[in-house]
Amino acid sequence: MPLEIEIKLLPADAFDEQKTRDAVALSQPHIASDINSIQLIKRSIDARKKPIVYVLKLNVFLNGEVPESTVNQFEIKQNGFSQKVAIIGCGPAGIFAAFQLLERGIQPIIIERGKPVKERRRDLAALNKELLVNPESNYCFGEGGAGTYSDGKLYTRSKKRGSVERVLQTFVQYGANADILIDAHPHIGTNKLPHIIEKMRESILANGGEIHFDTKLTDFKIVDGAIESIVCNNDTEIPVSAVILATGHSARDIFHLLNDKKILVEAKPFALGVRIEHPQHIIDTIQYKQIKRDENLPPAAYSIVTQAEGCGVFSFCMCPGGIIAPAATDKNETVVNGWSPSKRNGAFANSGLVVTVEPKHWQAQYGMGPLSALAFQQSVEHTAYQSTGSIIAPAQRVEDFIQNKISSTLPECSYIPGIKSIELKHILPDFIIKAMRTGLTHFGKTMHGYRTSEAVLVGVESRTSSPVRIPRNKENLQHPEIKNLFPCGEGAGYAGGIVSAAIDGMVCANAV
Ligand SMILES: Cc1cc2nc3c(=O)[nH]c(=O)nc-3n(C[C@H](O)[C@H](O)[C@H](O)COP(=O)(O)OP(=O)(O)OC[C@H]3O[C@@H](n4cnc5c(N)ncnc54)[C@H](O)[C@@H]3O)c2cc1C
């Protein structure tokens, strides 16, 4: 058994193997001469006090002991499939469900409305430069789902440790840097993800799975409480034995389809607000208390939360060195999100700054029906769009927002389609404005420098999680009314991020 120890090293020494070894020997003099090898199992930064240190959790192997291989790959059975299962959606949930089905000897048939990664890139260029939203191919729809051009942060609060490791190891197997296995806050980066997703696709196809791009689920036929066939692109009927529905939080047509067919779906709370962007050096200075960041430290991140005006206000999907991205999935709506490249070397730090939205907030205007939260979300996105007449985003300096005045100028911003000075109180509901003002005032006190005129709020960050839940039975994960329908991933309300969606995909495949 290895000895598990924790050491602290200065940033300049933390990536040096010999210095790590010396530090271990110094901290454990009684075993120094018996050390055979050292395995890094977790790396984090402690910036709370000076000097800033890396905290390394290590397995120390003594007297000829060596680390065991920790590779946890899918073992795919190639000798004939016992059945076929349709997976709707090729996001992290759909992809990992496909791997798990292949391991169980079941053929996955993935149905994806969007395009393969390379073709999808052209639509993203048109979105950013010509401000044209393709409703089938955008930051949320297409191969790899919202995960492909996401930031690729892989931190999760999920307690299913084994499954988290399996997801991370699968990403490494298909090309992610092995650092994600040890970093406390693993990150892949938008420049790396598309290639990894392509490799995953190649593996699913090579092992007998099918993937149909440009193919949208538009209907299904139900006989005796089970889906007998799915209808794609309004004309092609495909018989199925079971359906894993992993269409993500932006597939509004799916929520409408289920509701129109009188299949149970429920409105659920979510969060809504803006993206806040600071020059990265301001966040570095706040977090590291250094005017110039040590070159061995990564661009600083943050995570903040408070209660304000009876709501939760919190940062969401913070992207150091990142870009604010247009994440709308349809015409006439403005939605922003964020990503960063693997090096996180951009000039700006952006983060969602969102407020919890509960039934009491939408009930008076939109009622309590299954799609009421969705209608509320949609109306805010639409108002944001109307405020500029395009996906150019409404924006306000932080200080002006707190002081309730329009920004006469705006700072430089990473959002490529562009921003326009508009008072956010004309776009966001009053309870969100009040909670954000109080929240920002509070954050300005706890993070000195965070409240600044150099920071800008860009609207609207509305797709934090699904405003609809597709219910499923706890014991078998089947929809309570349709026995071979398995609601899955973020869109159904069972995940919030890449890793948890991937885990839910595997869990649903096992349930099938
Ligand atoms: C810009 C951006 C940055 C992000 N950054 C991070 C991050 O750093 N870390 C993190 O954990 N998460 C991040 N996310 C969120 C993350 O991408 C999602 O949580 C995750 O992708 C959800 O996985 P999913 O498989 O459940 O759904 P999705 O990834 O949304 O996939 C659903 C798929 O279903 C397809 N689909 C929808 N309707 C149909 C239909 N009718 N027929 C056929 N196919 C359909 C869609 O085209 C899509 O490909 C980010 C998202 C965005 C947009």
Side-chain angles (χ1 to χ4, degrees):
M1 281 283 284
L3 183 66
E4 193 179 304
I5 66 162
E6 195 175 274
I7 59 167
K8 292 177 181 171
L9 286 177
L10 291 171
D13 299 339
F15 296 85
D16 184 318
E17 236 174 80
Q18 189 54 48
K19 290 207 167 126
T20 306
R21 233 171 209 278
D22 294 347
V24 171
L26 201 65
S27 75
Q28 310 285 325
H30 57 291
I31 51 146
S33 58
D34 301 329
I35 296 172
N36 190 38
S37 64
I38 293 172
Q39 182 188 35
L40 179 55
I41 46 179
K42 200 58 58 210
R43 178 169 57 206
S44 57
I45 296 171
D46 187 350
R48 287 172 298 179
K49 284 188 275 180
K50 291 263 177 173
I52 297 171
V53 288
Y54 273 92
V55 181
L56 308 184
K57 210 186 245 185
L58 304 161
N59 272 338
V60 180
F61 294 87
L62 306 171
N63 300 324
E65 261 190 322
V66 284
E68 272 176 35
S69 161
T70 52
V71 177
N72 185 2
Q73 297 187 346
F74 285 95
E75 285 171 26
I76 293 169
K77 295 193 177 72
Q78 294 254 25
N79 44 359
F81 292 118
S82 58
Q83 55 168 314
K84 290 178 186 207
V85 166
I87 299 172
I88 319 298
C90 188
I95 290 175
F96 279 79
F99 280 130
Q100 191 72 17
L101 288 181
L102 285 167
E103 187 168 83
R104 296 291 188 122
I106 296 173
Q107 187 184 25
I109 314 288
I110 301 185
I111 304 294
E112 169 55 53
R113 73 195 296 162
K115 301 177 188 174
V117 164
K118 277 206 184 90
E119 292 171 45
R120 194 177 165 191
R121 192 172 298 148
R122 278 183 229 130
D123 295 313
L124 297 188
L127 179 58
N128 276 298
K129 295 194 182 124
E130 294 156 44
L131 318 188
L132 297 173
V133 181
N134 178 339
E136 309 303 337
S137 177
N138 45 57
Y139 273 93
C140 295
F141 295 163
E143 181 177 20
T148 308
Y149 294 97
S150 77
D151 190 36
K153 285 182 290 293
L154 301 178
Y155 177 72
T156 175
R157 288 195 184 88
S158 173
K159 296 281 174 290
K160 298 172 192 152
R161 274 316 323 161
S163 310
V164 173
E165 273 145 31
R166 175 158 243 204
V167 172
L168 297 182
Q169 287 186 356
T170 305
F171 278 119
V172 172
Q173 185 188 343
Y174 290 102
N177 190 311
D179 279 356
I180 64 169
L181 303 175
I182 48 159
D183 281 331
H185 290 269
H187 171 244
I188 294 183
T190 316
N191 51 326
K192 301 262 165 99
L193 277 160
H195 189 57
I196 294 169
I197 298 293
E198 279 181 319
K199 293 255 166 241
M200 289 179 162
R201 176 225 303 162
E202 283 163 18
S203 176
I204 290 170
L205 295 178
N207 287 292
E210 286 179 16
I211 307 183
H212 301 269
F213 293 111
D214 297 306
T215 307
K216 177 158 77 171
L217 175 78
T218 46
D219 200 0
F220 38 85
K221 299 214 165 130
I222 300 169
V223 177
D224 295 335
I227 298 178
E228 194 184 60
S229 62
I230 56 171
V231 180
C232 295
N233 297 343
N234 293 313
D235 57 12
T236 313
E237 202 172 322
I238 306 172
V240 292
S241 57
V243 174
I244 295 179
L245 188 64
T247 43
H249 60 24
S250 293
R252 290 174 170 164
D253 41 5
I254 290 294
F255 299 137
H256 281 283
L257 175 67
L258 294 167
N259 194 45
D260 291 349
K261 291 179 95 66
K262 310 261 179 293
I263 294 166
L264 189 64
V265 295
E266 300 157 352
K268 82 177 236 319
F270 64 109
L272 196 147
V274 294
R275 219 146 245 264
I276 181 167
E277 184 170 85
H278 291 78
Q280 178 65 45
H281 68 84
I282 292 185
I283 302 301
D284 289 345
T285 309
I286 297 171
Q287 297 297 74
Y288 295 144
K289 296 170 190 65
Q290 298 173 341
I291 301 294
K292 192 170 178 322
R293 174 168 50 88
D294 182 319
E295 60 182 0
N296 295 296
L297 288 171
Y302 63 85
S303 168
I304 43 184
V305 58
T306 190
Q307 282 291 317
E309 315 291 333
C311 298
V313 183
F314 58 97
S315 59
F316 174 79
C317 183
M318 196 267 148
C319 303
I323 298 270
I324 300 182
T329 47
D330 215 339
K331 301 189 166 98
N332 302 328
E333 59 188 35
T334 297
V335 181
V336 292
N337 206 311
W339 60 263
S340 63
S342 54
K343 289 191 178 153
R344 289 182 156 166
N345 52 357
F348 299 102
N350 73 66
S351 171
L353 184 75
V354 293
V355 176
T356 48
V357 178
E358 293 174 52
K360 65 178 178 195
H361 296 125
W362 71 72
Q363 195 173 359
Q365 209 173 349
Y366 298 99
M368 283 300 285
L371 304 185
S372 52
L374 177 64
F376 168 80
Q377 180 196 46
Q378 218 163 353
S379 82
V380 174
E381 294 172 0
H382 186 56
T383 308
Y385 182 89
Q386 281 183 318
S387 72
T388 68
S390 75
I391 60 161
I392 291 173
Q396 194 171 9
R397 288 185 190 260
V398 165
E399 199 52 39
D400 292 337
F401 173 77
I402 293 173
Q403 291 180 24
N404 194 16
K405 60 178 195 196
I406 191 156
S407 296
S408 53
T409 61
L410 289 173
E412 207 188 317
C413 176
S414 67
Y415 182 67
I416 297 170
I419 53 175
K420 184 171 175 190
S421 173
I422 289 177
E423 283 185 277
L424 293 169
K425 68 178 180 193
H426 300 313
I427 289 153
L428 293 164
D430 203 37
F431 77 92
I432 293 187
I433 295 291
K434 283 188 181 143
M436 271 175 30
R437 271 200 189 116
T438 310
L440 276 166
T441 308
H442 172 79
F443 296 141
K445 288 180 187 148
T446 52
M447 285 175 74
H448 198 67
Y450 190 79
R451 175 181 168 175
T452 165
S453 265
E454 288 185 66
V456 63
L457 305 176
V458 181
V460 289
E461 173 95 22
S462 49
R463 309 275 175 97
T464 51
S465 67
S466 185
V468 180
R469 171 168 287 110
I470 310 177
R472 67 188 189 192
N473 297 328
K474 259 202 175 128
E475 62 287 358
N476 57 16
L477 308 192
Q478 293 170 2
H479 188 279
E481 297 167 347
I482 303 187
K483 50 190 175 229
N484 60 351
L485 175 63
F486 296 82
C488 178
E490 188 164 39
Y494 302 101
I498 297 166
V499 174
S500 58
I503 291 174
D504 201 54
M506 296 191 287
V507 167
C508 285
N510 282 336
V512 171

